[in-house]
Amino acid sequence: MLELTSMIKRMKTRRSDRLVDMARFLLEHPRQLISLSHFAERYESAKSSISEDLAIIKRTFADRGTGRLETVPGAAGGARFVPTMSKEEAAEFVEDIRAMVSDETRVLPGGYVYLSDLLGRPDILRQAGRLITTQYVNEEIDAVMTAATKGIPLAQAVAEQLNVPFVIVRDDAKVTEGPMVSVNYLTGSSKRVEKMALSRRSLKPGARVLIVDDFMKAGGTIQGMQTLVREFDGEVVGTAVFAEGRSTVRLLEKFTSLLHVETNLSSGQPIAVQAGNYEEEIFN
Amino acid sequence: MLELTSMIKRMKTRRSDRLVDMARFLLEHPRQLISLSHFAERYESAKSSISEDLAIIKRTFADRGTGRLETVPGAAGGARFVPTMSKEEAAEFVEDIRAMVSDETRVLPGGYVYLSDLLGRPDILRQAGRLITTQYVNEEIDAVMTAATKGIPLAQAVAEQLNVPFVIVRDDAKVTEGPMVSVNYLTGSSKRVEKMALSRRSLKPGARVLIVDDFMKAGGTIQGMQTLVREFDGEVVGTAVFAEGRSTVRLLEKFTSLLHVETNLSSGQPIAVQAGNYEEEIFN
């Protein structure tokens, strides 16, 4: 009887241990199919036990709004964790950042808005990344592209949730990244012709690319990146920004913004911030 | 009897659910003390059950090398997850990246080395961040500082593991971040005087700052950042880079590199890459 109790205890311990470690492993490898064999070897456990564990994790992830655990049945099967955010959690998060951006001291000359503090906070970036990728749960994406400098943090956060590389387009001359592909583009606001470039070896030809940036004013930078993707024979899957400042009709397809900021303002004037179009784009 | 069975089943379900969700929550809030009350309310469970759960998670995190779960006992207590990497895992990781960097096509004119592909991979960044922060498990850090553009990804990865904001120092004139604090610095390689600047509102006075960059050649940029930290009345806690190219004696205290790259090379020559000084800095 004592032996039986200690055996049951050990079995429970192993399940607890597996649940904690499998949850961690799946969370750290989003959108990647992990085979049952991988887990069975790691924990020296039967695949049937692993399947039961996955069922528990799947239910918890669903109940707690962490994301979707897709399980592929059979001995050759496995599990893939796809992070998602619920409509309710998204509404709460966007309202939080809306309130933080609604601060007139953020308005800078030229209609720019200071966002670097928010885009330097790992907690905000993680949530923004999870929300943006919720739109692409059923799409293959090979890479995230952004423009230096201020787009990088959000692009990295999105790439983490997608578990794909991110590439950085630059406009300065002193880049030291070897052979580059460059394109010209028209800045939407000042109507100047500018140049942006990406290292030849950053992006594989034919890649499906999600464009991410911090702020879209007139869309010139984003149109430049679209041209660049085509130069690599790639395809733009969509575009997402933290905030957009445009008030007229958008020209971009599959464009998602978390916030909309009224930027026809001088420094010090009250700032008008609303939710962007994320709800209709992501949750419809 | 049936009722009892179903009650036991429900209790087990709740423990499994708690373990999975608590592990996720702790992993997403590194170095933050989470109170027992927080978990007790979230799961509508007794604090004694939560304490047992935490003991299980603590053991699994320790056994699997995920990190340290510090538990503060008592009703007012809680738990703090501190990510760490073991010496063995670090050696494996550094050998992996060493092999990837040892590719002569990465050498660019001027002794630069192309690293952007590696520093654009979320999996590599997560591990590098975890390794770097292992050195600072017992130190308070308020912010991570880096220089645009190429230092940003690693700085963000380190900041995520520390759960603190990161700030980006820039050298271009067309920054739109409001009032800036700027300093001059001498580039180590070309001996020119350059200027770098940080938005006044990015960093609180007195902050304890960890400096992170992708590559250190002669150290000019890093010395510039140290000067900048002092301009904000802050304190430099340490400096960490992905790779260093210097072969002579370092002038910086508390400086950690993951890789050492011999850069006195012309394009196309074989490249010599070794482990940096991380082992003596982090594991001694």
Side-chain angles (χ1 to χ4, degrees):
Chain A
M1 190 59 199
L2 198 69
E3 250 178 58
L4 188 67
T5 314
S6 103
M7 211 166 93
I8 290 173
K9 199 174 167 194
R10 200 165 66 239
M11 279 173 63
K12 279 203 214 159
T13 302
R14 296 195 57 188
R15 164 137 294 161
S16 302
D17 170 62
R18 288 198 309 261
L19 285 175
V20 169
D21 194 60
M22 282 170 80
R24 179 198 61 75
F25 192 90
L26 290 162
L27 288 164
E28 287 184 0
H29 298 81
R31 293 170 75 113
Q32 188 179 324
L33 183 69
I34 315 294
S35 69
L36 280 185
S37 313
H38 172 91
F39 287 131
E41 277 166 37
R42 183 172 172 93
Y43 307 117
E44 296 172 339
S45 300
K47 284 186 183 175
S48 56
S49 305
I50 301 293
S51 289
E52 287 167 27
D53 298 339
L54 288 171
I56 293 170
I57 295 173
K58 182 179 190 152
R59 191 184 57 220
T60 300
F61 280 1
D63 289 353
R64 301 281 171 186
T66 304
R68 203 157 88 180
L69 192 70
E70 298 171 358
T71 43
V72 180
R80 185 200 328 262
F81 165 60
V82 181
T84 59
M85 190 180 269
S86 70
K87 193 174 171 177
E88 294 68 37
E89 193 184 349
E92 252 179 69
F93 168 62
V94 171
E95 173 51 28
D96 282 352
I97 54 175
R98 195 202 61 74
M100 286 187 270
V101 176
S102 299
D103 166 0
E104 66 252 34
T105 70
R106 292 186 176 274
V107 181
L108 305 170
Y112 289 95
V113 179
Y114 180 80
L115 296 172
S116 301
D117 56 338
L118 305 180
L119 294 172
R121 279 179 51 181
D123 56 338
I124 291 179
L125 289 167
R126 187 185 303 113
Q127 291 186 84
R130 197 148 64 88
L131 173 51
I132 287 169
T133 57
T134 298
Q135 186 169 0
Y136 300 98
V137 280
N138 296 317
E139 291 205 62
E140 287 291 321
I141 295 175
D142 299 311
V144 172
M145 176 185 279
T146 193
T149 302
K150 288 192 272 184
I152 299 172
L154 186 60
Q156 180 167 343
V158 169
E160 280 173 25
Q161 300 287 328
L162 293 174
N163 205 6
V164 299
F166 58 98
V167 300
I168 301 169
V169 175
R170 303 184 58 164
D171 63 355
D172 50 353
K174 59 169 198 169
V175 287
T176 49
E177 307 205 10
M180 309 286 282
V181 176
S182 72
V183 297
N184 293 114
Y185 69 102
L186 198 65
T187 64
S189 21
S190 56
K191 295 290 173 208
R192 272 176 320 190
V193 176
E194 300 269 6
K195 185 174 152 176
M196 58 166 68
L198 181 65
S199 166
R200 167 56 80 195
R201 55 195 288 174
S202 301
L203 200 61
K204 286 194 181 65
R208 291 173 55 82
V209 177
L210 176 61
I211 293 174
V212 171
D213 212 347
D214 63 322
F215 199 83
M216 185 181 87
K217 249 184 108 183
T221 310
I222 285 166
Q223 283 172 340
M225 285 194 269
Q226 294 181 324
T227 310
L228 204 45
V229 171
R230 284 193 294 271
E231 279 303 309
F232 281 84
D233 296 321
E235 191 186 332
V236 177
V237 179
T239 302
V241 300
F242 190 75
E244 62 170 326
R246 198 187 169 88
S247 46
T248 54
V249 181
R250 267 174 246 104
L251 298 165
L252 296 165
E253 278 177 56
K254 258 214 161 170
F255 171 86
T256 309
S257 63
L258 305 189
L259 294 178
H260 183 284
V261 181
E262 185 56 67
T263 52
N264 295 326
L265 296 169
S266 330
S267 180
Q269 266 195 277
I271 180 172
V273 189
Q274 300 168 294
N277 72 342
Y278 80 92
E279 203 177 293
E280 58 191 92
E281 290 294 324
I282 302 179
F283 296 104
N284 270 353
Chain B
M1 190 58 199
L2 197 71
E3 249 178 57
L4 189 66
T5 315
S6 104
M7 210 167 93
I8 289 172
K9 199 173 168 194
R10 200 165 66 240
M11 279 173 64
K12 279 202 213 159
T13 302
R14 296 195 58 188
R15 165 139 293 161
S16 302
D17 170 64
R18 287 199 309 261
L19 286 174
V20 169
D21 194 61
M22 282 169 79
R24 179 198 60 76
F25 192 91
L26 290 162
L27 289 164
E28 288 185 359
H29 297 82
R31 292 171 77 114
Q32 188 180 323
L33 183 68
I34 315 292
S35 69
L36 280 186
S37 313
H38 172 92
F39 286 130
E41 277 166 38
R42 183 172 171 92
Y43 308 116
E44 295 172 341
S45 300
K47 286 186 182 175
S48 55
S49 305
I50 301 293
S51 290
E52 287 167 29
D53 299 338
L54 287 171
I56 294 170
I57 295 173
K58 181 178 189 153
R59 191 184 56 220
T60 301
F61 281 0
D63 288 353
R64 300 282 170 185
T66 305
R68 201 157 90 180
L69 191 70
E70 299 171 358
T71 42
V72 179
R80 187 199 327 261
F81 165 61
V82 182
T84 59
M85 190 181 268
S86 71
K87 193 173 171 177
E88 293 69 36
E89 192 184 350
E92 253 180 68
F93 168 64
V94 171
E95 174 51 28
D96 282 352
I97 54 175
R98 194 203 62 72
M100 286 187 270
V101 176
S102 298
D103 166 1
E104 66 252 35
T105 69
R106 293 186 175 275
V107 181
L108 305 171
Y112 288 95
V113 179
Y114 180 79
L115 297 172
S116 301
D117 56 339
L118 306 179
L119 295 173
R121 279 179 48 179
D123 56 337
I124 291 179
L125 289 168
R126 187 186 304 113
Q127 291 185 85
R130 196 148 65 89
L131 174 50
I132 287 169
T133 58
T134 298
Q135 186 169 359
Y136 300 98
V137 280
N138 296 318
E139 290 206 63
E140 287 290 322
I141 295 176
D142 299 310
V144 172
M145 176 184 279
T146 193
T149 303
K150 288 193 272 185
I152 300 173
L154 186 60
Q156 180 167 343
V158 170
E160 278 173 27
Q161 300 286 329
L162 293 173
N163 205 5
V164 300
F166 58 99
V167 300
I168 302 168
V169 175
R170 303 184 59 165
D171 63 355
D172 51 351
K174 60 170 196 166
V175 286
T176 48
E177 307 205 10
M180 310 286 283
V181 175
S182 71
V183 298
N184 294 113
Y185 69 102
L186 198 65
T187 65
S189 20
S190 57
K191 296 289 175 210
R192 271 177 320 188
V193 175
E194 300 269 6
K195 185 174 153 176
M196 59 166 66
L198 181 64
S199 167
R200 167 55 79 194
R201 54 195 288 174
S202 304
L203 200 61
K204 286 195 181 65
R208 291 174 55 82
V209 177
L210 176 61
I211 293 174
V212 172
D213 213 347
D214 62 322
F215 199 85
M216 185 181 86
K217 250 184 106 183
T221 311
I222 284 166
Q223 283 172 339
M225 284 193 270
Q226 293 181 324
T227 310
L228 204 45
V229 170
R230 284 193 294 271
E231 279 304 309
F232 280 84
D233 296 322
E235 191 185 333
V236 177
V237 178
T239 301
V241 299
F242 190 77
E244 61 169 326
R246 199 187 170 87
S247 46
T248 53
V249 181
R250 267 174 247 105
L251 298 166
L252 296 166
E253 278 178 57
K254 256 214 162 171
F255 171 86
T256 309
S257 63
L258 305 189
L259 295 177
H260 183 284
V261 181
E262 185 55 67
T263 52
N264 295 326
L265 296 169
S266 332
S267 181
Q269 267 194 277
I271 180 171
V273 189
Q274 302 169 295
N277 71 342
Y278 81 92
E279 202 177 293
E280 59 190 90
E281 290 294 322
I282 302 179
F283 296 104
N284 271 354

